Amino acid sequence: ESRGKPPVDWSLYLVTDSTPAILGGKDIVQVVDQAIQGGVTLVQYRDKHADTGVMVDIASKLHAVTRKYNVPLLINDRLDVCQAVGAEGVHIGQDDMGCIEARKILGPDAIIGVTASSVEEAQKAIEDGADYLGIGTTFATPTKTDTKSIIGTRGLQEILAACSTGTEKSVPCVAIGSINASNVQRVLHQSAHGSNRLNGVAVVSAIMASTDPRSSARSLLDLIKTAPQKYYASVAPNTAFVTELASQVAQVTSIIKSHVTSSVLCHNMTNTVVQNFAANVCLATGSSPIMSENGPEAPDLARLGGALVINMGTATPEKLNAFTAGMRAYNAVGAPVIFDPVGGGATAIRRNAVKTLLTAGFFSVIKGNEGEIGAVAGTSTTQQRGVDSGPSVSTAEEKANLVKAIALREHCVVLMTGKTDYLSDGARTVAIENGSHWLGKITGSGCALGSVIASYVAVHRQDKFLAALAGILHYEIAAERAEARQDCRGPGSFIPAFLDELYLLGEEVKQGRGIGANGEF
Ligand code: 3NM
Ligand code: MG
């Protein structure tokens, strides 16, 4: 007689581990009891070393606990142990018994989960009737050293994309591998493919190794339930916003006004060549610059209401450490981080640094020239010569599509600068024609724009796309005005004229002037 599959909440999946390195001297049954009290919604008993008799004994004790709370218990790999204690199902890896055979043995009501590290494995498991997928390994983990592939949030996203049938996933998916309180929201956020998201996460050490499993489970569940809205609120699609700014210019002007009166903190981790210029641009546009590449002080700075710019430049290992620490600190309090992958396509070291940073945290805005954005896309065919922008190799439409695709993939705002700039948040994509050719003749103009965008996003977090647009227009309209001045004769005289115009534009906005429908001031 069929009792039907029990309903399952996949949010927080605890996978046990009995090794001393993780469990320590704690009692596994008590740990599981406390973890469920803290919020664990599903338990898997996993023991790769114990004798069968011991496994059956522990499994039956665990089952008594999980039943008390009406939480399903699954057994890793061992169908016999599952049957012996009447557990709700099993989890099988790629080297274990196949899903079809397991189903024959356990019947239609058993929950059968399958590990998948690739799109192919995921699709096969779905065809074979898996009830859920455990996907990973997300990040390298000391808990399981024989993992086959570390796929990152990008790999999770690819699997989630491939598991979708239209807009619905056909089976629930949970991610596994080094997931803990410091990265769970980012994993949920960055792995999403459109509306197709993880149903939850599976953890071992984050709970099993904790000295307080109940509170560890509780904080994890809290983070899961509040992600991604808490920190990474994304912009509602606005289909009315096509390529003309007419309906948004009033708002853009009001964002400029709030920015120039804000003195918001702009924290720059930037290269020595541009530090002075970027700091002057910050002051002229109304933000308060701090130039610090000291990772350990980032947590204090992150709490001051501003934003961080990471200007990659020469990506030495020390700098990468500082960037990562900075990004983590700002991510942790939900403050914006702007990534400028300077020279990102130029060398193998820089291309790798781009990859490292993209997986180490979350960016609100990624900005760069064509070669740099190509490096972010990972599809760059342009070999960058230096950090300056080279000749364009793609059409306007290709550029617009590329920034949109990266925005959707990375869940952030993407700007590709050039004669025409392309800005997208995935839902809205605009081409911006403002600017001056002199910006290409002075050093640090791209980097300083990153600083401006950062502080704009900090003052207008509710719509990062419009905030970035306002910052770009402030910057580029000021450049146009500087170029038009009688006293601007070349790059040298352009710089002071530009700083003046950045400042004066802000003053005029305070007095009631604004951006017009065609991006003119
Ligand atoms: N399976 P922690 S990774 C049990 O990739 C397990 O299939 C993995 O442990 C897989 O949360 C893993 O301590 C261990 O990193 C996860
Ligand atoms: Mg296994």
Side-chain angles (χ1 to χ4, degrees), residues 13 15-17 22 44 46 48 76 91 93-94 114-117 134-151 175-180 202-209:
Y13 185 176
V15 180
T16 70
D17 191 304
I22 288 177
Q44 177 192 137
R46 178 175 183 272
K48 302 311 255 184
N76 185 278
H91 183 89
Q94 290 291 324
V114 174
T115 298
S117 306
I135 59 179
T137 303
T138 311
F139 307 120
T141 171
T143 308
K144 183 171 158 69
T145 45
D146 64 343
T147 55
K148 285 179 205 133
S149 35
I150 309 299
I151 63 175
I176 189 163
S178 256
I179 296 172
N180 55 51
V203 303
V204 180
S205 51
I207 292 176
M208 295 306 294

Side-chain angles (χ1 to χ4, degrees), residues 7 31 57 60 102-103 117 193 203 226 279 363 368 377 424 444 476 478 503:
V31 170
D57 180 45
S60 83
R103 178 69 68 198
S117 306
H193 178 82
V203 303
T226 56
F363 295 109
S424 181
E476 297 195 334
Y503 171 78

Side-chain angles (χ1 to χ4, degrees), residues 492-510:
S493 49
F494 173 75
I495 292 174
F498 179 45
L499 289 173
D500 284 352
E501 293 299 336
L502 285 170
Y503 171 78
L504 291 169
L505 189 145
E507 291 301 298
E508 290 173 31
V509 168
K510 280 190 215 165

Side-chain angles (χ1 to χ4, degrees), residues 83-433:
Q83 287 179 313
V85 304
E88 282 69 32
V90 291
H91 183 89
I92 50 189
Q94 290 291 324
D95 302 326
D96 302 335
M97 181 187 292
C99 189
I100 292 174
E101 292 77 14
R103 178 69 68 198
K104 272 190 205 141
I105 295 172
L106 296 179
D109 296 341
I111 301 168
I112 300 181
V114 174
T115 298
S117 306
S118 65
V119 168
E120 293 69 34
E121 288 175 0
Q123 283 169 339
K124 173 153 198 323
I126 295 170
E127 271 169 39
D128 292 352
D131 291 300
Y132 76 92
L133 305 182
I135 59 179
T137 303
T138 311
F139 307 120
T141 171
T143 308
K144 183 171 158 69
T145 45
D146 64 343
T147 55
K148 285 179 205 133
S149 35
I150 309 299
I151 63 175
T153 54
R154 183 73 48 77
L156 299 177
Q157 192 180 54
E158 280 164 11
I159 294 175
L160 285 169
C163 289
S164 70
T165 51
T167 55
E168 293 277 343
K169 268 195 308 303
S170 48
V171 301
C173 291
V174 297
I176 189 163
S178 256
I179 296 172
N180 55 51
S182 80
N183 60 22
V184 64
Q185 291 200 320
R186 173 162 83 79
V187 169
L188 291 167
H189 178 73
Q190 288 185 323
S191 61
H193 178 82
S195 60
N196 211 11
R197 317 181 71 86
L198 287 171
N199 297 70
V201 297
V203 303
V204 180
S205 51
I207 292 176
M208 295 306 294
S210 168
T211 51
D212 187 349
R214 186 185 337 214
S215 77
S216 296
R218 185 164 296 149
S219 12
L220 273 170
L221 188 67
D222 182 46
L223 289 164
I224 292 164
K225 294 290 182 199
T226 56
Q229 294 82 354
K230 189 173 171 190
Y231 294 148
Y232 309 125
S234 57
V235 180
N238 179 350
T239 45
F241 197 103
V242 195
T243 50
E244 41 92 27
L245 302 173
S247 59
Q248 308 279 331
V249 287
Q251 214 190 332
V252 166
T253 299
S254 98
I255 297 170
I256 296 179
K257 193 164 176 181
S258 5
H259 183 269
V260 297
T261 52
S262 70
S263 295
V264 66
L265 184 83
C266 185
H267 177 179
N268 292 266
M269 287 186 160
T270 194
N271 54 75
T272 43
V273 181
V274 302
Q275 279 180 3
N276 178 270
F277 183 62
N280 275 322
V281 165
C282 285
L283 290 169
T285 51
S287 69
S288 175
I290 180 160
M291 321 311 276
S292 164
E293 294 208 345
N294 189 10
E297 76 172 347
D300 281 349
L301 293 171
R303 282 189 282 272
L304 300 178
L308 171 67
V309 193
I310 293 177
N311 186 310
M312 198 179 69
T314 319
T316 61
E318 302 74 47
K319 287 202 177 206
L320 267 183
N321 282 340
F323 296 160
T324 306
M327 188 177 359
R328 295 223 165 107
Y330 277 74
N331 281 174
V333 297
V337 185
I338 280 62
F339 182 36
D340 190 343
V342 177
T347 63
I349 285 184
R350 290 189 196 218
R351 283 190 291 273
N352 277 330
V354 168
K355 275 195 202 141
T356 303
L357 289 170
L358 284 174
T359 53
F362 172 75
F363 295 109
S364 296
V365 182
I366 298 173
K367 73 154 284 282
N369 60 33
E370 192 177 338
E372 291 157 356
I373 293 299
V376 170
T379 56
S380 182
T381 48
T382 39
Q383 172 61 52
Q384 266 192 291
R385 231 173 353 98
V387 300
D388 56 330
S389 36
S392 175
V393 294
S394 49
T395 66
E397 195 184 346
E398 285 165 346
K399 289 178 195 164
N401 286 337
L402 182 63
V403 292
K404 181 176 174 182
I406 302 175
L408 286 170
R409 190 186 78 190
E410 301 294 331
H411 304 280
C412 66
V413 174
V414 176
L415 169 66
M416 183 195 288
T417 56
K419 187 170 182 305
T420 302
D421 309 306
Y422 296 87
L423 180 73
S424 181
D425 66 356
R428 299 167 291 184
T429 305
V430 290
I432 303 159
E433 303 286 354

